[in-house]
Structure formats: C-alpha cells, structure tokens
Amino acid sequence: MAPPPASPADSAAPDPRPASASAPVPITIPSPRELLHHHHHLVDRRDTPRGRAWEPERSRRGEAMDGAAAAKLVPGEAGYVLEDVPHVSDYLPDLPTYPNPLQDNPAYSVVKQYFVNPDDTVCQKIVVHKDGPRGNHFRRAGPRQRVYFEPDEVHACIVTCGGLCPGLNTVIREIVCGLSDMYGVTKILGIQGGYRGFYARNTITLTPKSVNDIHKRGGTILGSSRGGHDTMKIVDSIQDRGINQVYVIGGDGTQRGAGVIFEEVRRRGLKVSVAGIPKTIDNDIPVIDKSFGFDTAVEEAQRAINAAHVEAVSAENGIGLVKLMGRHSGFIAHYATLASRDVDCCLIPESPFYLEGEGGLFKYIEKRLKDNGHMVIVVAEGAGQKLIAETMQSIGKDASGNELLLDVGLWLSQKINEYFKKNKMTINLKYIDPTYMIRAIPSNASDNVYCTLLAHSVVHGAMAGYTGFTIGQVNGRHCYIPFYRITEKQNRVSITDRMWARLLSSTNQPSFLCNKVVEEAKKEQERTAQLIDGSPSHRKVNEKVAVSNSGGTK
C-alpha cells in the first residue's frame, strides 16, 4: 500500500545511504533536494547497488574491531548527526530487493501510511534550545517498501541470554508471530541455553502455534545462561545451519556479544542480519527511554513494599526493610518508592550514604520511629557496597564478568539491630527480599504492548536488511541504534535532577550527600547533556564527525 506524498518537512532529512567510495569515513553527500530530483521519496534508497562504502580497511583484512570503528555517520546542518546502522548491502553490494509482503496483507489494508519514509530519523534529545544544535539522530524503525529477504529464504533464530526479566516470552512470541503473520516466514529456530546453545545445546522449532500462550508465563521458554560466548563457534553454527536472521535478547553484555558476532558475519561476507533487543530489569541501558519488564518490576515491587508497611505499622517501633534489584542503577527502588508513598527512606547505588553521626541513617531512623512509631526502608541491591566492603571481603564475579554483590539487605538489617540494641531501644525489624519473585513473573499489560512493538520493529529492520543494530524506543519513537551506543556506558539515576528531588520530598529523608559528591554529579550530568546535544559520545565517532566536517582531511 503506497503512503501519501511526504510533507515538505520530510524533505529536510538527509539521505541515509552509505557513501559509494571505499573510505572509512563519510563523504560529502548531495542535498536532499538534489536527491529527490532523481529519486521518488517513497523508494528506499537501499534499492540501488553500491560498493563497500563504510567498511574500514582493517576489517577487510579480517582484523577484529569494535562497533564504533565502523560508525556510519551522516552530518547535516545545524549540528545534525545521523548515527546510522549497518546494512547487508554495505558489504554485499549487488543484493536484489523484493516488494514488502505487507503491501498485500489484508490485515494492514486499513493503515493509511504504513511504510516508513526512508528519510525519517528520531532525535535523541527532544528538548533543544532555539539556537542550539539539532543533535544526534537515529534511523526510524518500521517496515520498508523493499525488503532484502524473501520469506521462503528466511531462516531465523532467537536466543535469550543473561538473567530473567518479565516480558522475555512476550518478545519471543511476537518475533515469531511477526515473522510468520506479517512476512510469511516459516523457518524459525529457538536456541536453547543462551550463547553456548549455538554449539552445545539443541534447538527447538518455533511456530505461532507453539508460542501462542507463552506470554502468560514468566522466564524464557528457550532457557538462558551467562557467558559461553565463543564467536567462531557461534558464527560457524549460524553458517552451517543456514541461518540468515539472528535475534539476540539480552543486556549490555549480550548486546556487546551480538556486535562481535555481527563483525565476524560481516568479515565472512555472509548475508545474515544480526539484531538485538535490549533486556535489563534494572533499566540501566542508555539512550532508550526504558527497557521492557521495568514497569512490571516496579508494579510487583509495590507488593513487597506494602507487606513491609503492614509489618511495620503492626509492631512497636516496626521497621520494614525491602531489598530490590538494582546492581549499579537504582531505578526500580527509585520509582517503586515514588509510586508507593509508604517509604520513609530509599537507598540506591548512585547516592552514597553513611550510618553513624548527625545526618546519618541511624539518626534518621531514630527520629522517624519517635515521630511515627514505624518506618519503611527500600534499598537497591547495589547500594552501600563500599560500606560493606570495609567489613567484609568481596565474593568474586559471575560468568558474565559482573562483580558479585554482597547482600546489603542482610548487612543493613544486622547493623540497624546492633545500633538500637547498643542504645537500648526496642525495635521490630522485618526484612523482605522479593528479588527472584519480581523477575520471574509474566509481564503486565503495559510491558506486553511494549514488547510487541519492540519485536515487530526489530523484525521490520532485519527484513529490510539492516544489521548490527539494537531496537529501542527513544522519545516515544522506535528506532535502530548502533550496538556501540548502548554498550558504552550504563544508565544511572541522576541525583541532581527533579525526579530525585521529588523522591527526597516524598520520603523526607536526608540526601546523605556532601558538597563534593553533588558537584561531581552535576559535572557528570552536564557532560552527558553535552554529548546528547550533538556530539556522539564515542571517541572514534567524534573523530569521524571532525573528519567529515573538515572535508575529509585531518
């Protein structure tokens, strides 16, 4: 189905095509108006053959490289930078294209404008100043008029890695149903047991019938694991099985592994699309608005907080202590506290706290008990680790390389009991740890819808030939994000913004922060804002932008 003509505003976006010269940096591109003179605006620019425009020379020699070394950047006026994602035609220039089967799908005949304009991009920062730069943009997700895979040739696989998270089964279901119902794909495999399942475990055949009701269950029907990433074995398995679409669901470490798989696939010249769906219950993946499962986790955390509140108000000097997930980012604890209104103190990894002395946690608990007779404390699992380390030894790392954290809930419970026993004040402390209950439940209605949109968007991207990307929602719009942008750092709660101030106002807790910590947090926030305003945050990306803006010379 053909969409209506684009508005004049649509013509303002730069052409997303990679350059046609074999250089590792973007070249000067003609203006959109010049391109529109030769190409109809509804024809995807990737329909025409092209050479290996953006492939770095050292990659052609088979050397390892990180994702940012192959950054595809299209600079524009007023500080506009499109951080594009790779495409199979970048290294296989003579691939044929096919009409998108959706144009003949009766279910989508009611859609007024279904195909995405190839010039559409999504800005990373939605609030800009009048004279400020337009900033970084990503390619908008959605179906294209032309696809690079015929349904009969598609052999897709899905793998889940890392810890559990609400919504995993929903994403699996909707990838399968999206491939089948929208594009007519019939060959879909499930890789069991994480990355090592490519070469050490069996696979299962996935069909719309077999996944029909899995969204009602928690966990993942494919199983999951940490570690086990052997790039050569994985790509050998992909090549031997004839797989040409790989959907990887996992956190930042998993997405980093998917980026390495893409690089090896590209080095071998395989027509394989490698696409990621970011997964983290902690909501600590940068760039995207939020990760799937987060809403469900916050909602379920309310049950634990409510139970702690009931226990606290039912006893003399009752204290309810709840430990929630949040290894390095306290988003679940933060939002659960704001939603609850029953919490008197929230402790997260981003905000250091101390126990003894004026302004410390013990004095605050003592004051709260005298005023109200009870208290509820929420603590993220990664909070207070430096304090714990002073009295206990580290316990190593897991298979993914993540440092194993000491149990801050048990430690804090012990310290609180010791303090009040020493001061001869009777308390009744109840400790609740709902960690594995939260991450093992099915996703709620909000997350189910979100998972569906993510799954369908990633399928559209893979069918259109995009590869080496992660799907994500940025400012309410789904877009394709290069792997390096979501693996370069972790998203953290800002303790200098209004949301954290709202929490402090809600709980009336002290900030526990000295001036030095506040100033460091402000500087970090300013640095992050500057990066989002129009300067890509990776060093090699910065270099490429500088080279492009200087006309290709350093």
Side-chain angles (χ1 to χ4, degrees), residues 290-320:
K290 66 176 179 179
S291 54
F292 72 83
F294 176 69
D295 283 352
T296 304
V298 171
E299 184 177 303
E300 188 66 15
Q302 299 298 293
R303 303 178 188 274
I305 293 174
N306 184 60
H309 182 252
V310 171
E311 289 285 353
V313 298
S314 301
E316 179 186 3
N317 290 331
I319 300 176

Side-chain angles (χ1 to χ4, degrees), residues 266-536:
R266 186 169 65 85
R267 189 187 69 81
R268 298 188 188 187
L270 305 178
K271 185 187 176 184
V272 176
S273 178
V274 181
I277 302 92
K279 176 234 48 157
T280 168
I281 198 171
D282 293 345
N283 198 37
D284 60 358
I285 290 180
V287 181
I288 63 175
D289 294 347
K290 66 176 179 179
S291 54
F292 72 83
F294 176 69
D295 283 352
T296 304
V298 171
E299 184 177 303
E300 188 66 15
Q302 299 298 293
R303 303 178 188 274
I305 293 174
N306 184 60
H309 182 252
V310 171
E311 289 285 353
V313 298
S314 301
E316 179 186 3
N317 290 331
I319 300 176
L321 177 60
V322 181
K323 186 185 78 171
L324 298 176
M325 297 188 76
R327 178 180 295 273
H328 301 293
S329 303
F331 284 103
I332 294 178
H334 182 191
Y335 279 73
T337 295
L338 277 175
S340 170
R341 305 295 176 178
D342 287 330
V343 179
D344 299 285
C345 185
C346 176
L347 305 173
I348 61 174
E350 295 87 342
S351 181
F353 66 94
Y354 56 96
L355 302 178
E356 306 280 355
E358 289 299 322
L361 180 62
F362 290 157
K363 288 293 184 181
Y364 175 62
I365 295 175
E366 191 172 350
K367 178 180 183 300
R368 203 68 172 171
L369 291 178
K370 289 179 179 178
D371 291 343
N372 293 346
H374 65 273
M375 183 176 187
V376 175
I377 304 172
V378 168
V379 57
E381 62 179 324
Q385 291 298 310
K386 288 185 178 180
L387 285 176
I388 307 176
E390 294 176 0
T391 56
M392 302 176 66
Q393 293 182 346
S394 174
I395 54 178
K397 297 183 178 181
D398 64 18
S400 296
N402 299 314
E403 186 175 351
L404 293 172
L405 302 179
L406 298 160
D407 193 325
V408 65
L410 289 176
W411 174 82
L412 192 57
S413 299
Q414 180 183 356
K415 289 295 182 181
I416 292 173
N417 278 318
E418 289 176 356
Y419 173 82
F420 284 101
K421 183 177 181 180
K422 178 181 176 182
N423 287 272
K424 298 179 180 180
M425 181 176 175
T426 301
I427 63 168
N428 288 277
L429 189 148
K430 299 296 188 295
Y431 172 48
I432 299 176
D433 181 359
T435 298
Y436 295 104
M437 294 176 63
I438 289 177
R439 75 177 199 167
I441 65 172
S443 53
N444 63 11
S446 172
D447 273 324
N448 271 337
V449 173
Y450 187 34
C451 290
T452 299
L453 297 177
L454 288 173
H456 288 187
S457 294
V458 79
V459 166
H460 292 317
M463 290 298 296
Y466 295 107
T467 182
F469 72 90
T470 286
I471 182 66
Q473 180 176 282
V474 178
N475 293 320
R477 295 286 185 176
H478 289 76
C479 55
Y480 302 134
I481 305 168
F483 278 132
Y484 65 84
R485 283 306 307 273
I486 65 161
T487 59
E488 62 190 359
K489 57 177 289 187
Q490 287 181 314
N491 193 25
R492 302 288 181 90
V493 174
S494 172
I495 58 173
T496 59
D497 73 358
R498 283 188 291 272
M499 284 300 287
W500 185 245
R502 292 184 182 105
L503 180 141
L504 297 179
S505 175
S506 171
T507 61
N508 291 314
Q509 71 185 66
S511 68
F512 302 113
L513 300 178
C514 62
N515 290 334
K516 180 180 178 182
V517 174
V518 173
E519 289 303 317
E520 288 176 352
K522 286 182 178 179
K523 289 179 181 178
E524 174 63 19
Q525 189 175 18
E526 290 172 359
R527 188 187 71 84
T528 303
Q530 184 180 11
L531 294 173
I532 293 176
D533 278 344
S535 174

Side-chain angles (χ1 to χ4, degrees), residues 9 128 140 218-219 252 468 522:
V128 296
R140 183 185 175 190
D252 55 351
K522 286 182 178 179

